[in-house]
Amino acid sequence: MLEVQQQWREQDEAGDRTWTRADLERFVEHADAEVRAWALRRLTLLHSEAAAEPAVRALRDPAREVQSAALQRIATLASLPADALRAYVARRDIPPGLRLRALELLAGAGDARAGAELPELRRQIRARFGIPDSPADEEDADRHDEAPLPEEPALRERATAQLGRANPEETLALLHALERCPWRWAARLLGERLDDLLATPAADEVWDVVLELGDPALLDAAVREWHAGELHVAHAAVFLATLGDRLASVPAALRKETEEHRRRLGEVERRLLSGEDPFACDEALALELRCTECGRTYTYEVERAYVHPDLGKRDRPLPEDWDGFVLSRIIACKSCHAEDAYELTAAAKLGLLGRLAAQVARKTDPEAWRIVPAVTQMWDGTPLRRPTQGLRHLRALCEKRPAETEPWRRLGNLCERYGLMREAEDAWQRAAAHEHEVEAPYSLARWLGRDGRPEQGLAFALRAVERIPGAKLAADARAKMADALCEILRAATPRIQPPLALMATWTGGRAGGRAVVHLSSVDLRDVRRWDRLAGLIGSGFFTALGFTTDLPEDDEPQLLQLLDQDEPASSAPAVRAAPKVGRNDPCPCGSGRKFKKCCLR
């Protein structure tokens, strides 16, 4: 490799080829699979006759990308190596797409067995990845590589005048032409115009061209342009450093990012070959997004992506200013920091739609889906296309109706979803001030506990417990809230000074034709069955709850007996009845009025 590097350094910069045929033939035997695949592609493009024998040998290569490059060259041979192809398709360690391509080559050469296997393999692939039935597209995707190389003088003149300075279509056409060049001036021109090119819609293509040119002279520019999350740039930099034997000069963080990306791709391929769902993993989605403010493309991780069900339907088109995708987080550009000013690259869109189709085809649990078909809108019907749009809408409502509880609570909830916890806390505080609001103090209790402020969180937990009996909550939400609040109380009870007692009111049994009202309290330190307490609160069993520093005098107060039972909440009458209250006795509810004038009525 040092010999090749020295040879490259000695080449004339005034138009010589970046790598000679001898260089590429050496790279075909390189230790790095990506280099082997690249060298085979470049040999096929620049020295087609020299690539034939290495391509046949490469069918035995363990790397998928090398096998793919080999099939690309073999497809152009006048006489197919049928025996090598049959041995290849007999293997069980190759992806179904490559097996399909090899079978198609054999069938085209008259192999009856391959022709018979093709329909079933196509059916399996379509079923596995949710591809709709349609005539197979058998055109070679790399056909542009078979065209003659562009004439150097004319291309050089045209590229020098227009690259990065013409309209996007012309710039893209020039990039595709330069990608096939063997000349060093192409890489040099690319480096000179890099800043201009990265601000155009063709920015993604730039790094693909850099990769295919493989000129280590662009390494320093790639390292300079790299920011964390720019996988295209990191990939190009590591590849160029590998070709030029300069990996030691590449930042460790950049190398780590590339290794992590390769690991993910390897995991997808492993799942693919083992018959598992290649997308069924716990890792977040990695999406390429292009900033519409500065034009830079970065890779961002998101937990979920939502796809509008009408996307692609001609009879129900989406608004022209929306792509139909909603991501589960705010995207801040890693370069200019603009928020939610992005567009998904074509690869990102195709990847999301392909994964969604695979999820549907495999009939996996929708709860585990990371790409969700859904109409995203806010509680008042406002469409939600970007997280920041929803935040702006709620902030405007809070400013317009500051005395109302719901906008503040919902603003707090949305801020929590997007990690804006300072604003979420402020919004919940505003909502919790309303005497009947229960969700906001509950949310505050949970957040303050996680944030290392349990004493403040306890105060809101007590407030939420007191408000639960009168709250209008769905049964599952009430039960979840009760479980969390009782866990907060259980953990805080040993630290509470002075000790607190829980006061509860409930009905059970009948006396004189009227329901009996039970009133009792229990020192929180005496509660043994916190699960039972959470169940009773969550079921809506209690009609009133509160807290006091006046501890009960009884050793076994009625509420403690209720909590120690194993019967369901509906069996409350089985609790030992309190002493009978006379009509003229003070009402046991503590109102100060006579029983006949209060709860007996």
Side-chain angles (χ1 to χ4, degrees):
M1 182 57 62
L2 291 176
E3 179 186 349
V4 173
Q5 184 181 357
Q6 181 64 27
Q7 181 180 355
W8 169 76
R9 287 174 177 170
E10 293 174 354
Q11 285 176 345
D12 177 19
E13 292 200 0
D16 262 359
R17 292 173 180 252
T18 304
W19 300 109
T20 67
R21 169 176 168 173
D23 297 333
L24 295 174
E25 288 175 335
R26 291 190 187 98
F27 280 128
V28 167
E29 306 298 331
H30 197 276
D32 188 284
E34 187 175 6
V35 173
R36 296 197 300 275
W38 168 82
L40 195 52
R41 288 197 305 271
R42 297 297 282 183
L43 270 177
T44 298
L45 174 65
L46 304 175
H47 310 282
S48 181
E49 72 289 349
E53 184 180 346
V56 175
R57 290 201 311 268
L59 287 178
R60 299 191 295 271
D61 196 289
R64 175 197 57 79
E65 57 264 46
V66 180
Q67 299 166 24
S68 178
L71 289 173
Q72 176 182 330
R73 176 62 183 100
I74 289 172
T76 66
L77 293 177
S79 177
L80 287 179
D83 291 341
L85 285 172
R86 291 191 189 100
Y88 178 69
V89 298
R91 291 167 52 180
R92 289 295 176 262
D93 63 339
I94 57 175
L98 293 184
R99 176 176 282 108
L100 177 67
R101 192 171 182 184
L103 284 173
E104 288 173 342
L105 291 176
L106 284 170
D111 190 305
R113 182 175 179 180
E117 290 182 27
L118 270 177
E120 177 59 20
L121 181 57
R122 286 190 179 122
R123 187 198 65 77
Q124 290 176 4
I125 291 175
R126 290 193 182 110
R128 189 171 182 182
F129 298 104
I131 302 171
D133 289 334
S134 60
D137 181 7
E138 301 192 6
E139 291 188 10
D140 189 352
D142 299 306
R143 179 170 294 175
H144 65 279
D145 286 343
E146 300 172 12
L149 285 173
E151 292 293 333
E152 179 184 7
L155 177 61
R156 188 170 186 173
E157 181 179 354
R158 177 180 159 206
T160 301
Q162 300 186 44
L163 183 64
R165 297 170 180 172
N167 59 59
E169 292 77 12
E170 175 65 9
T171 294
L172 195 59
L174 282 169
L175 285 173
H176 286 163
L178 292 178
E179 182 179 25
R180 305 176 61 243
C181 283
W183 304 296
R184 296 194 63 200
W185 65 259
R188 188 166 60 250
L189 180 61
L190 203 63
E192 292 171 355
R193 305 284 174 84
L194 197 56
D195 288 342
D196 293 337
L197 289 168
L198 293 178
T200 70
D204 289 343
E205 299 287 339
V206 171
W207 299 108
D208 291 336
V209 175
V210 168
L211 278 167
E212 285 305 308
L213 287 177
D215 192 332
L218 290 169
L219 173 59
D220 292 339
V223 172
R224 184 179 64 249
E225 293 293 337
W226 174 77
H227 297 79
E230 278 190 305
L231 286 175
H232 264 64
V233 188
H235 184 194
V238 168
F239 182 71
L240 294 178
T242 302
L243 285 177
D245 198 22
R246 294 176 55 193
L247 272 175
S249 66
V250 175
L254 188 153
R255 295 200 305 270
K256 182 178 179 181
E257 185 168 274
T258 305
E259 291 165 3
E260 177 63 17
H261 182 57
R262 286 186 175 183
R263 184 196 65 77
R264 287 183 176 179
L265 292 178
E267 175 63 13
V268 170
E269 184 171 349
R270 183 196 67 76
R271 289 173 174 271
L272 192 66
L273 293 174
S274 64
E276 302 176 51
D277 183 352
F279 303 119
C281 56
D282 295 331
E283 294 179 339
L285 299 169
L287 300 177
E288 286 184 339
L289 308 176
R290 178 183 177 275
C291 177
T292 54
E293 295 292 327
C294 69
R296 299 298 297 266
T297 298
Y298 294 94
T299 297
Y300 299 84
E301 289 191 348
V302 299
E303 287 299 315
R304 276 181 172 75
Y306 301 89
V307 182
H308 197 286
D310 291 344
L311 182 64
K313 295 182 179 178
R314 296 182 179 180
D315 57 333
R316 287 179 290 183
L318 298 177
E320 293 183 358
D321 60 344
W322 185 40
D323 56 13
F325 296 92
V326 179
L327 305 184
S328 60
R329 55 165 283 204
I330 295 172
I331 301 297
C333 176
K334 296 178 181 180
S335 179
C336 71
H337 309 294
E339 291 188 340
D340 280 348
Y342 64 84
E343 58 186 11
L344 281 77
T345 64
K349 292 178 181 179
L350 288 173
L352 286 175
L353 294 175
R355 184 163 175 174
L356 174 59
Q359 290 173 164
V360 173
R362 285 173 169 267
K363 298 181 173 59
T364 54
D365 181 8
E367 293 295 324
W369 288 7
R370 289 197 180 276
I371 296 91
V372 183
V375 177
T376 52
Q377 61 182 27
M378 308 187 73
W379 98 101
D380 60 357
T382 302
L384 182 63
R385 299 176 184 174
R386 295 287 188 262
T388 48
Q389 173 201 2
L391 291 170
R392 286 194 298 269
H393 175 68
L394 284 174
R395 288 164 183 159
L397 281 182
C398 290
E399 185 176 349
K400 183 179 180 180
R401 308 201 296 261
E404 294 186 17
T405 304
E406 189 164 28
W408 289 109
R409 182 207 318 127
R410 292 187 180 275
L411 176 59
N413 294 346
L414 199 61
C415 286
E416 180 187 32
R417 180 184 301 176
Y418 300 134
L420 305 175
M421 294 312 303
R422 180 174 295 181
E423 185 176 359
E425 184 177 338
D426 291 342
W428 284 331
Q429 291 268 15
R430 295 288 297 267
H434 194 283
E435 61 181 347
H436 298 301
E437 170 63 25
V438 63
E439 186 179 338
Y442 161 71
S443 298
L444 278 167
R446 290 170 48 250
W447 158 242
L448 293 170
R450 295 197 307 267
D451 195 46
R453 293 177 282 168
E455 291 77 14
Q456 296 179 46
L458 176 62
F460 286 103
L462 298 178
R463 193 184 304 183
V465 169
E466 291 175 338
R467 294 175 179 179
I468 279 185
K472 295 180 180 179
L473 296 169
D476 56 345
R478 181 188 296 270
K480 180 180 179 181
M481 189 179 294
D483 287 341
L485 290 171
C486 284
E487 181 58 30
I488 293 173
L489 293 181
R490 184 196 65 76
T493 292
R495 304 191 308 270
I496 297 176
Q497 292 297 331
L500 281 180
L502 173 67
M503 302 180 297
T505 303
W506 70 96
T507 59
R510 302 187 69 81
R514 295 178 180 272
V516 176
V517 178
H518 300 265
L519 302 98
S520 183
S521 63
V522 62
D523 187 337
L524 289 178
R525 296 172 299 179
D526 294 334
V527 175
R528 296 178 286 268
R529 295 285 307 280
W530 286 96
D531 59 331
R532 169 80 167 163
L533 176 59
L536 291 171
I537 294 175
S539 68
F541 174 75
F542 295 117
T543 57
L545 291 168
F547 294 92
T548 179
T549 55
D550 295 330
L551 304 181
E553 297 180 358
D554 296 345
D555 291 336
E556 290 287 327
Q558 196 176 22
L559 179 55
L560 185 59
Q561 297 175 49
L562 175 65
L563 296 180
D564 284 344
Q565 289 181 359
D566 290 324
E567 292 83 357
S570 59
S571 64
V575 177
R576 187 175 68 230
K580 185 175 180 180
V581 182
R583 289 172 53 83
N584 293 309
D585 290 340
C587 185
C589 75
S591 67
R593 293 180 292 173
K594 290 184 178 181
F595 185 44
K596 66 181 180 181
K597 296 290 188 180
C598 188
C599 291
L600 183 61
R601 289 192 298 175

